[in-house]
Structures are given as structure tokens and as C-alpha cells.
Amino acid sequence: LVEVSDLHVSVRRAAVPGEIDGGHDAVDGVSFAIAPGECLALVGESGSGKTLSAFALLGLQPSPDVSVTGGEVRYQGRALAEMSAEEIRCLRGRRIGMIFQEPSQALNPVRRIEAHLREVLAAHDVAPRAEWPTRMIRALEEVGLPEPSRVLKMFPFELSGGMMQRACIAMALIAGPDLVIADEPTPALDPTVSRRIVDLLAGLRQRRGIAILYISHDLHWVGRLADRVGVLYLGRLVETGPTDALLRTPR
């Protein structure tokens, strides 16, 4: 489904008097692939390059100081570099969904949940407008939100952290993507809610057959969800393998 080959992402540092080197590779030659329906977890300490690697799948860079300087990302055999800006825009959300770490920052506080879901449907034209209300209700039901008709009319700040994250998952899934990137979706939540979110992702994967790129610090949740694990350290993929084997006997 997705192939990443020898990916290099550079981060330019602010100019410091007397310094010649103006940047460094935050992602240094990373390669991995994700098959349809598979869950790959990327783990590693903060700053190891997990999120930057995930953003590269969407052709995104979090700031002007970050740039992809080498390597290739392919979706269904086609390189992102060969795609037009419009094709990449359609890829985001329609084929590859994204669940962010902080749901309170991923949602606009002055827009109702209905507006967030409508925006995705409108951007990707996945169904006739007359079907949107039904699709939105079903999306919220699928992620386990009670009284979805009422939730649609609510603002994000009226929801708990777990409910906001479920709404974000509904946004990531409503266009029917093949792959969902879950970028540390549980650290802001308490352990009980975190378990429900991880179990929700596992259930959605089983029902829909979607692939998941799961980024996490928490090896407990990785062990519950992932088929394979890749370990990033200082921007390099230093180990990869089946989850059970890697967690039992890491190199």
C-alpha cells in the first residue's frame, strides 16, 4: 500500500554566530512499507523522527524549516513526487487519514462537530450532499459516541477528551481511507480511555480492513495493536520485526 525508501528529512536550525552547519537530518535514511490491512508501529524517544516520517506520507512539513531532502514515498506504487498538488490534496483525508495527538488542538473550538465532518465530506466529494447527515451519524456511531445527533450539534469544548478523540477518529475515517496515521493518539488521555481508543482502532481495522501507521511511546498499546514494530533512534530505523518477537527479545 505504502512504501518509504531511504527517506531524509532535514531540519534547519536558527543561525548561530560562528556556526557553519545550518541544519541536520532529523530523519536519516528511513525505509519501511505497510501492506493493506496491516498495522505498523513506529516507536522511539521524542525527536527520533516518528512524526516527521509520518508527515512525509502526506507530503506535509510542519514548518518552513523542515524539508524532505532525499528518498521516495510511494502510494500504491506511485511516487508522491510524480503527483500534482491537487492529487496530493485528494490523497490527504481521502486515501490517508490522520489522527493527531491532541484532539483539542485538532478541532476548531468555534465550529460544531457537524461542521468538522461536513468539511471532510465536501473536500473529497465521497457522497451526494443528501447522504451527508446519514454518513455523519453513522461515523459517530461507529466510533462509539452516544447520541450522535446531539454530538453533531456540540462544540469541541463541550466534549470530554475521549469523546473529542473519537470525533477526530470519525473525521479521519468518514472519507473511507485505506490507511490511517495515528500519531500518538492516547498520551493526553487517562489509561482507561486510552485502552478504549486502542481497542476502537483495533475493531475498526478488523471491520474495515484499513491499514494503520501507529506512532507511540507506549509499548503496552503497541503490543495490543501492531503486527510489526519499527524502532527509530536519532532519525534512523535501527530495528524492525514482528511485534511479539521484538518486544520479547529486542536487539
Side-chain angles (χ1 to χ4, degrees):
L1 184 66
V2 171
E3 295 176 274
V4 176
S5 304
D6 195 28
L7 179 67
H8 289 259
V9 181
S10 178
V11 178
R12 186 177 60 209
R13 294 179 297 192
V16 177
E19 270 199 15
I20 297 175
D21 180 16
H24 69 284
D25 274 356
V27 177
D28 188 6
V30 166
S31 300
F32 60 85
I34 306 173
E38 181 184 34
C39 180
L40 171 69
L42 290 182
V43 304
E45 63 190 11
S46 295
S48 60
K50 305 184 300 297
T51 297
L52 290 179
S53 298
F55 276 7
L57 299 185
L58 294 165
L60 295 174
Q61 52 195 53
S63 81
D65 293 327
V66 177
S67 58
V68 175
T69 55
E72 187 175 64
V73 177
R74 287 183 171 270
Y75 171 78
Q76 292 188 335
R78 190 175 177 204
L80 262 64
E82 300 171 356
M83 298 183 185
S84 67
E86 178 63 17
E87 287 175 315
I88 292 177
R89 189 192 71 80
C90 291
L91 186 74
R92 300 173 187 144
R94 181 67 183 91
R95 295 300 178 192
I96 303 177
M98 185 86 181
I99 305 166
F100 294 96
Q101 180 175 351
E102 287 282 354
S104 59
Q105 295 180 20
L107 298 170
N108 187 329
V110 298
R111 301 185 73 200
R112 301 179 193 273
I113 299 302
E114 180 178 12
H116 289 83
L117 294 173
R118 279 183 177 275
E119 185 175 36
V120 180
L121 292 170
H124 299 293
D125 194 26
V126 294
R129 187 177 292 268
E131 295 180 12
W132 289 5
T134 302
R135 279 184 171 260
M136 290 188 288
I137 292 290
R138 287 177 179 172
L140 296 184
E141 287 176 340
E142 189 174 27
V143 298
L145 279 168
E147 300 183 73
S149 297
R150 185 173 67 89
V151 172
L152 284 175
K153 304 302 180 185
M154 297 174 74
F155 291 99
F157 58 80
E158 297 181 283
L159 304 177
S160 68
M163 292 176 74
M164 279 194 288
Q165 192 61 289
R166 286 174 186 265
C168 288
I169 295 172
M171 285 175 60
L173 293 174
I174 197 168
D178 306 306
L179 169 69
V180 169
I181 300 170
D183 184 12
E184 300 192 52
T186 59
L189 309 174
D190 67 61
T192 301
V193 177
S194 294
R195 176 170 183 163
R196 290 173 183 163
I197 294 298
V198 171
D199 289 346
L200 170 62
L201 291 173
L204 289 168
R205 178 188 168 205
Q206 184 176 26
R207 292 193 300 275
R208 287 198 178 200
I210 58 172
I212 297 175
L213 176 59
Y214 183 60
I215 297 170
S216 181
H217 289 99
D218 196 318
L219 296 181
H220 176 69
W221 303 131
V222 167
R224 290 179 65 90
L225 187 62
D227 300 308
R228 291 187 299 119
V229 180
V231 182
L232 282 167
Y233 180 68
L234 297 179
R236 296 184 177 182
L237 192 62
V238 295
E239 182 174 3
T240 185
T243 302
D244 291 343
L246 191 143
L247 295 182
R248 187 170 57 251
T249 55
R251 291 185 286 112

